Amino acid sequence: MATPGQASFCFSCGQPLPLDATAKAAPGSYPLTGGVPVPTPPPNPYSAPPMSASFTLTGASGTFRVTAGGEVLVGRDPARCAIHLTEPRISAVHATMKIENGALWVRDERSNNGVWINGERIAAGTWVTVPGNAALRFGPVQFTLSNL
């Protein structure tokens, strides 16, 4: 830190700084690092992902938005499921969805009529990534996925 008329010191170790270190450096010069540029730090792994944090499911049963920040239950039980489907062939808690690293994930909660992505049934109890613009089906209820 430079104080006019006084010597400058390093905050970390207390050593006096050379006089030329406190002068304004010309663009492209690095007096404190011996002319070597300071590397850019890597991105913060704990920051929010830059990818989409929102997806929309659109179908005959309605339009539902899934946003990052937790798990969303899909099913017939209105007390537990944010995506409430009244179709009788849907299980009480049919599936769980979440957004992780900018991608939508779905897990079949051991439903009777399954979860289908682009016509293929997924295994119960395992998380599966749903590709963008996929056809996502919970039992007989079909949705189209879109990325916001």
Side-chain angles (χ1 to χ4, degrees), residues 55-57 64-75 82-83 85 93-100 103-109 115 117 122 127-128 130 136-138 143 145:
F55 291 86
T56 300
L57 298 173
F64 301 95
R65 187 171 177 187
V66 180
T67 57
E71 295 182 352
V72 176
L73 298 179
V74 179
I83 298 179
L85 304 174
V93 176
H94 198 94
T96 303
M97 295 191 308
K98 67 179 177 179
I99 295 177
E100 192 172 280
L104 181 68
W105 293 75
V106 65
R107 179 179 65 202
D108 183 348
E109 297 297 340
V115 175
I117 299 173
I122 67 171
W127 286 105
V128 177
V130 183
L136 181 60
R137 198 171 90 213
F138 304 103
F143 291 97
L145 176 71

Side-chain angles (χ1 to χ4, degrees), residues 7-89:
S8 297
F9 296 90
C10 174
F11 279 124
S12 297
C13 66
Q15 294 294 317
L17 294 174
L19 290 178
D20 63 343
T22 60
K24 292 284 184 195
S29 67
Y30 303 90
L32 294 178
T33 61
V36 178
V38 178
T40 304
N44 183 350
Y46 301 105
S47 64
M51 298 178 166
S52 176
S54 178
F55 291 86
T56 300
L57 298 173
T58 306
S61 297
T63 299
F64 301 95
R65 187 171 177 187
V66 180
T67 57
E71 295 182 352
V72 176
L73 298 179
V74 179
R76 213 176 56 247
D77 184 352
R80 296 177 60 197
C81 299
I83 298 179
H84 174 233
L85 304 174
T86 58
E87 162 67 42
R89 291 171 284 180

